[in-house]
Amino acid sequence: MMPRHAASDLAHRLGEYAEAVCRHYLADGRRQGNYWTIGDVRNAPGRSMFVRLQPSPKGPPGKWTEYVAPRVVLRRRDWALSCRRSTAFTQHNVSAREVS
């Protein structure tokens, strides 16, 4: 197991080269301003995943976020419920919808 400080140092160093890392591993994406956009971590086309390329108040370079549309979340929940699959994911979303 890697020591915590070593993992943190590695993440910081990769962040310094965020664009080069993205160009290599997420080659189907493209730069848009201070972000690299791509469909997902499997290098699928699209714009659902954003990787920060420059430091900002929101976080360091290399930090990534994947956006999942609420419509997709509801479809997954409905599918799981129709198959009678009760998971933490479906239970959370069912209770969240009932409160609304």
Side-chain angles (χ1 to χ4, degrees), residues 81-100:
L81 290 174
S82 70
C83 296
R84 298 184 187 269
R85 294 182 182 198
S86 180
T87 64
F89 173 81
T90 57
Q91 290 168 2
H92 169 75
N93 287 293
V94 168
S95 62
R97 186 162 183 182
E98 290 171 353
V99 172
S100 304

Side-chain angles (χ1 to χ4, degrees), residues 1 6 16 18 20-21 25-26 49 55 60 64 70-71 91 94 99:
M1 183 174 206
E16 291 175 352
V21 171
Y25 291 103
L26 303 171
M49 185 174 150
W64 60 275
R71 170 176 67 213
Q91 290 168 2
V94 168
V99 172

Side-chain angles (χ1 to χ4, degrees), residues 31-78:
R31 184 180 181 132
Q32 289 187 315
N34 289 329
Y35 293 89
W36 189 265
T37 60
I38 187 74
D40 59 28
V41 295
R42 293 179 301 267
N43 204 26
R47 298 180 311 176
S48 296
M49 185 174 150
F50 302 87
V51 181
R52 185 175 293 112
L53 301 176
Q54 302 293 324
S56 81
K58 293 183 178 182
K63 184 174 190 298
W64 60 275
T65 302
E66 190 167 6
Y67 172 77
V68 177
R71 170 176 67 213
V72 174
V73 171
L74 292 176
R75 253 190 257 138
R76 287 180 185 170
R77 185 213 57 208
D78 292 342

